[in-house]
Amino acid sequence: MTLRKGEKTTISIQEHMAIDVCPGPIQPIKQISDYFPRYPRGFPPVAPPALSRAGSLHSSSSQKSEGPPPEQARHEEDQDPTLGTLDFSLLYDQENNALHCTINKAKGLKPMDHNGLSDPYVKVHLLPGASKANKLRTKTLRNTLNPVWSETLTYYGITDEDMVRKTLRISVCDEDKFRHNEFIGETRIPLKKLKPNQTKNFSNCLEKQLPVRSYFSLISAMRSISFMQASVQSQNDDKSLEERGRIMISLKYSSQKCGLIVGIIRCAHLAAMDANGFSDPYVKTYLKPDENKKSKHKTAVKKKTLNPEFNEEFFYEIKYADLTKKTLEVTVWDYDIGKSNDFIGGVSLGINANGERLKHWFDCLKNKDKKIERWHTLTNELPGSVFSD
């Protein structure tokens, strides 16, 4: 192409958009259309070997992506050993209706903080029915991936029925001061695996929280529910069995003092009555009939707890022969400032009671000068009691 004197070189828009801007003199390059050749219809382009770098990368990545299905991959990820392992032991004390969970140590926990470490602690729940009422936790250990707690967490008021149908969930978490605590991993132990009064040691790999995995798991869960419903129906228990909680009471008739000694030891898994998810419980006792209302005794108030420990005793001066005519009524209340106290639950012991409540009363009458301790379920209805404080 020849140019006349004084005529400037013209550059097409395609060439202008494809100017090479590398250092040095600016030179026009081929038109962009040269890099996208047109092919006749019906003949799709085949990438030549020289331009197959990106294609080879694409094909290799597609080959690598071929693997197990998503569910299987997710399951393998859930069992990732990098979450760490947890060493602990469990003991069911059948005589005292207590489950002791000893959290020993963890190894190789997943780092959750920016410094490559974690601030781990352990919390345990009883399932079904996980709530603040049955949550226990260890202390927090700072800046470690191999914490050693050596702490024992104890659930009181555990029955043989609980050991058959409940599962213990043990979770390891990372504590953060300025944001929500982070979940590291968990392990679950069906309590039916434990034998009474025998310590069993565990060293389990932590897993992520998993849903019900299969049809057989669903069938097993349905059978457990059916068993629970049948047992509840056969025993004619109150519908709020788990919601109201349990109380440990001791009875002793003292021949020397000529009176009945009632001990309020502790409560477990009480119903939450306050907006913060807790209660401020205290216990009242009456020995009825009580025409003059002089038999009322009251424990101290325990603040913000669903598992209070009282360890208080009350004395009722009464002849031994008159105990067969009396009924001991025990009620648990939630203390509120500026309004009426809330009724949590109650239980009555005496000649007109039934089941364990009647047996406890008879055992007290049969064994003078011997303290008899029993756990009792709190119900939401107590015949003959006064539901106001």
Side-chain angles (χ1 to χ4, degrees), residues 28-49:
I29 61 176
K30 295 182 180 181
Q31 295 185 4
I32 296 177
S33 60
D34 293 337
Y35 292 92
F36 300 94
R38 296 182 179 179
Y39 295 91
R41 289 187 179 180
F43 296 92
V46 179

Side-chain angles (χ1 to χ4, degrees), residues 195-224:
K195 295 182 179 180
N197 305 316
Q198 294 185 16
T199 301
K200 188 169 184 178
N201 297 314
F202 297 87
S203 182
N204 292 7
C205 290
L206 297 175
E207 297 181 339
K208 294 183 179 179
Q209 186 173 357
L210 302 177
V212 178
R213 298 181 183 273
S214 63
Y215 169 79
F216 298 100
S217 300
L218 180 60
I219 293 297
S220 177
M222 293 176 64
R223 288 178 178 175
S224 300

